[in-house]
Amino acid sequence: APLSNASSTNALDATVASPASVLGALQLDRALATLGARIVSIQLRGDEADLFTTGGTRITYVVGDESTAASIAAASFPSLNVNNGSLEYVDLRFGDKVYYKKSEK
């Protein structure tokens, strides 16, 4: 859970359950921004994170492996447009390969 000590009625006393994950996601967000990706939201899911662009593309990576994800993105993003809605997702979880799926829109 992203928040600990939270109830459905009062999240004001809650704390972030995994601040290192949030920090890593924000660092990757900055790295992807230098490659032209415009991230609008971040979702943490256990040991994985999803970053969503203005075009709705989901960029998935393994939490804690931000430097590898940034390297893979640097090699692949020049040939991908993650902001125009043409891609459903880009998957950066597999070390030396990037996987993506074109949107069916």
Side-chain angles (χ1 to χ4, degrees), residues 3 27-28 30 34 36-39 48 52 55 63 71-72 77 83 92 95 103-105:
L3 297 177
Q27 289 171 337
L28 183 58
R30 283 192 292 269
T34 67
R38 295 187 307 269
I39 305 299
E48 296 179 349
F52 294 89
V63 171
S71 294
I72 299 168
F77 277 28
N83 299 312
L92 305 174
S103 178
E104 297 180 13
K105 291 179 187 179

Side-chain angles (χ1 to χ4, degrees), residues 12-91:
L12 293 177
D13 294 327
T15 58
V16 175
S18 181
S21 298
V22 174
L23 180 59
L26 293 174
Q27 289 171 337
L28 183 58
D29 173 27
R30 283 192 292 269
L32 297 181
T34 67
L35 300 171
R38 295 187 307 269
I39 305 299
V40 294
S41 66
I42 297 170
Q43 179 181 18
L44 299 173
R45 297 179 294 106
D47 66 346
E48 296 179 349
D50 297 320
L51 289 78
F52 294 89
T53 68
T54 55
T57 300
R58 174 179 43 89
I59 302 168
T60 302
Y61 78 97
V62 175
V63 171
D65 208 6
E66 290 80 12
S67 62
T68 300
S71 294
I72 299 168
S76 60
F77 277 28
S79 63
L80 300 174
N81 188 333
V82 297
N83 299 312
N84 69 359
S86 64
L87 296 173
E88 184 177 325
Y89 67 81
V90 176
D91 195 331

